[in-house]
Structures are given as structure tokens and as C-alpha cells.
Amino acid sequence: MSETSAAGDPADSDADARDASSGTTESYDVVVVGGGPAGLSTALYTTRLGHDTAVVDRGGGRAAMMLDTHNVIGVTEDVSGNEFLQTAREQVEEYGATFHRDLITEAERTDDGRFHLVGNDGEFLARRVVIATGFSDERPDPPLPRTGKGLHYCLHCDAYMFVDRPVYVMGNGESAAHVAMIMLNFTDEVDLLLRGDDPEWSDETDEQLRAHPVDVVEAEITGMRKRDDGWLDGFEFDDGEFREYRGGFPMYGSNYNTDLAEQLGCDLNDDGTVAVDDHGRTSVEGVVAVGDIVPGHNQVPVAMGQGAKAGIGIHYDLREFPRSLEEIRENGPVEREETPGIGARVREAARAFGEAGAPPADDD
């Protein structure tokens, strides 16, 4: 299942040992590009299901920016995004996955059906590629409060903290208008800040918005005040007014990181996300996409669930056994020496992991 798996596996080709300008190419069953909740969850499942897996992560990302973790059952509010991700990485590595800090810039399918990935510092071969590169939020122009202390990008995660507090929504499109109305479920003080731009929502949305107690503020922001604890206090506007806010949501869209998906020929949806089935499979065989780069709610638990389903789907595609009747009739029954059908890295890690809490495995 990897270059150290049983003889006859496609990963035994001479390409595994080739030297590239950036170093020796490493071969895996699965390479996950992106180390956020979706990518790490996928890696957790593929690793524990026996497939040699690497996670290649450039660092950063939306989850890493979280000052506190919300809406993740079993994880308390005082856990930062970086702490959450670090714990997840340690778990995945302990199970036998390999973690690389690198940025993958090129991807192509090789003649033997695998995928060649080129990073700034290394190169990788994979039987399956998981793209979990997410997106970046469009940030409005400053002045702005710190992300997580008055500037928030996830309504479903953070609306709870603004109950009965003054809130802003920033933007001039359909999404901004609708989020402003949604926030009335949590507070009766909602301002929609156009920041000098003209509204671009539809006539129907305009009629709907005017029927809700949302104050549409046309003036541009000229200054910002913070509280002693670093939280936003409010904004100053060019009409001389100061408005107090606990925090709010900028709604300017997203930039999806689809370069690798496009290089590999994956279909995209009209909104820029990667088109996938219910297990993350893209239009290109062997390429899977999960997390914020695919359609759905941009939530940590949702991303984790997508990763779990994708990992299980990859296992169904790659597992050695049961061998099909067609193969058995052609090549004969499975020999005991061919088992277990598990990647070498995972097998070594699993034996060590088991020894921590159980009698050692028999070395015979």
C-alpha cells in the first residue's frame, strides 16, 4: 500500500525513489493537502483504517485564527484554534500519519495513475489526493477590530455571544442584507453598514429589509475605539456620529483556494466551490475535496464530519480485502503472507500504540 508495502503494489515503481530538485519524492497511499479540521479528520480516518497517509500543511487558515473554539462538542470555549489543531495533529501523527509543513504548488496525474504533488520543500506521490485547502474571507478596508474581538466571520458560531448586544453587519450585497435580518433573532440592535457603497441587493430584498428594524448606515467609517480588554467599543463615521457595537460580521465574500483542484481538472460549482459527492469524491477519480472548499456550512464540526466520510470512502476504494471473486479466480486464493493489508507506517505505529496500554504484540 506504500513503497514499503507488499511486493507488486503500484507504489513499488522506480518513480518512488527518484530524486527531484527539492529532494526525494515520498510515496503514500493518501496525501491530504491542508491541515485544518477537514483535512486532519480525513487523515485520522485513513490512517486508523490502515492507509499510509501524509498531511501537507502550509500553516495558518481560518481555524487557526480562532481565539476560542465554539460549537465543537467536547471542546471547551477556552481552547484556541491553534491549540485545537495542535492536539489534532499530535493525535494523527501518533496513529502513524506523517506531517509536513509545506505549500503544494503543483499537482498532476502520473502515467501509473497516481498523483505527483510538488511543494516548496518536497515532492510526494499519492494513490489518493485530498484537497482541504479551504478559502480566505474577503476583508473590508480598515479601520477594523481584531478578528475574534469584534470582527467575526461565522454567524452560526458567534451569534450567541451577541444576544442583547448592539451588532453591525458590514457589506452592501444580498448576503449582508440577509445576515442583518437574521441577527434580529439574537438582538434588537442591528446596523447594516454600507461604508459609503450603494446597495446591490435586489428590489425584493430591499422591500424585505425595510420591513425589519435594521438601521442601514450609509456613512463611511473613519475611526474605531476599543475597550481596555481589546474588544471593539464602536466606530466613528464621517458624518460625525459614533455608534457603539459589541461586534459584528463582514459580508464581502470568499476566495476559494482551488488552484490544485483546477490543475487536476476537477469540476467547480458556479459559486467557486469544488463539486463533490456525499463522500467528497470530485469529478476526477482519486481526487477528494473536503471542508470550506466544498458546498455547505463553513463550520468546524461540519468539516470534521466531511473528513470522516471522505476517509471512509477512501478506505472503501483502497482496502486490499476482501479480494474480488474475479481476482481470486484469476490469481488464486489470498495467501496468509499477503496479509495484513495495511500500510507499513501505520502498522508500525499501531503496534507501538497498542503496547502503551496492552501486552506487546507477538513479534513472531
Side-chain angles (χ1 to χ4, degrees):
M1 301 175 70
S2 73
E3 76 276 18
T4 54
S5 297
D9 191 283
D12 288 322
S13 71
D14 293 338
D16 290 351
R18 73 177 180 224
D19 288 330
S21 59
S22 57
T24 301
T25 301
E26 298 191 55
S27 181
Y28 296 91
D29 294 332
V30 182
V31 172
V32 179
V33 184
L40 289 170
S41 293
T42 307
L44 183 149
Y45 270 80
T46 57
T47 302
R48 284 183 60 89
L49 286 169
H51 307 287
D52 285 337
T53 300
V55 177
V56 185
D57 181 38
R58 68 175 182 178
R62 297 177 85 239
M65 293 191 298
M66 300 186 306
L67 295 181
D68 311 291
T69 300
H70 305 301
N71 293 17
V72 183
I73 198 72
V75 180
T76 56
E77 300 278 324
D78 59 340
V79 176
S80 71
N82 278 322
E83 291 169 333
F84 175 80
L85 294 174
Q86 180 61 34
T87 300
R89 283 195 293 267
E90 291 171 356
Q91 284 180 292
V92 173
E93 287 184 285
E94 189 173 13
Y95 293 141
T98 305
F99 186 85
H100 300 270
R101 180 70 75 193
D102 201 354
L103 172 63
I104 299 296
T105 57
E106 299 177 32
E108 63 178 356
R109 188 186 288 277
T110 62
D111 291 340
D112 62 4
R114 290 181 294 168
F115 299 92
H116 179 215
L117 307 175
V118 179
N120 290 336
D121 299 316
E123 300 190 23
F124 309 88
L125 282 168
R127 297 172 66 191
R128 294 292 183 273
V129 173
V130 180
I131 302 175
T133 48
F135 69 80
S136 56
D137 298 284
E138 283 283 358
R139 289 177 61 89
D141 294 332
L144 293 170
R146 181 182 176 186
T147 300
K149 289 201 169 186
L151 186 69
H152 303 262
Y153 289 96
C154 180
L155 181 150
H156 299 99
C157 302
D158 295 338
Y160 179 86
M161 70 173 66
F162 299 127
V163 169
D164 290 333
R165 307 289 185 92
V167 170
Y168 69 85
V169 176
M170 202 178 288
N172 65 329
E174 289 283 342
S175 59
H178 283 279
V179 167
M181 291 183 282
I182 290 170
M183 284 307 298
L184 291 170
N185 291 290
F186 303 92
T187 177
D188 62 358
E189 298 180 80
V190 181
D191 288 355
L192 179 51
L193 310 184
L194 297 181
R195 302 198 62 173
D197 295 326
D198 293 328
E200 295 182 356
W201 51 73
S202 67
D203 292 341
E204 291 79 6
T205 297
D206 188 73
E207 180 181 357
Q208 185 182 18
L209 180 64
R210 292 179 184 279
H212 288 77
V214 173
D215 193 355
V216 178
V217 180
E218 298 180 359
E220 173 60 302
I221 297 172
T222 57
M224 175 183 59
R225 298 180 195 172
K226 292 183 180 180
R227 302 178 189 273
D228 292 340
D229 61 2
W231 271 87
L232 174 68
D233 185 30
F235 292 122
E236 299 166 353
F237 294 85
D238 61 10
D239 59 3
E241 188 173 8
F242 173 79
R243 288 176 176 254
E244 181 181 343
Y245 301 108
R246 174 62 172 170
F249 302 90
M251 302 300 299
Y252 291 92
S254 307
N255 292 316
Y256 294 97
N257 301 318
T258 59
D259 286 352
L260 296 180
E262 293 180 69
Q263 287 182 37
L264 292 169
C266 300
D267 291 343
L268 303 184
N269 298 306
D270 291 340
D271 63 356
T273 57
V274 180
V276 295
D277 69 8
D278 62 354
H279 279 75
R281 298 183 183 92
T282 70
S283 60
V284 176
E285 185 178 359
V287 181
V288 171
V290 292
D292 290 347
I293 201 172
V294 305
H297 297 293
N298 301 317
Q299 303 274 288
V300 170
V302 172
M304 293 166 66
Q306 291 174 349
K309 291 183 69 175
I312 293 171
I314 290 169
H315 174 60
Y316 287 167
D317 293 341
L318 292 184
R319 65 189 183 188
E320 296 288 341
F321 308 112
R323 192 160 290 171
S324 70
L325 281 176
E326 180 180 348
E327 291 177 288
I328 291 171
R329 288 165 180 167
E330 180 177 351
N331 301 312
V334 176
E335 300 294 337
R336 186 173 299 277
E337 291 74 18
E338 297 179 78
T339 65
I342 187 172
R345 297 180 183 92
V346 180
R347 187 179 187 187
E348 181 179 351
R351 289 168 66 90
F353 189 87
E355 288 170 4
D362 189 352
D363 290 330
D364 293 340

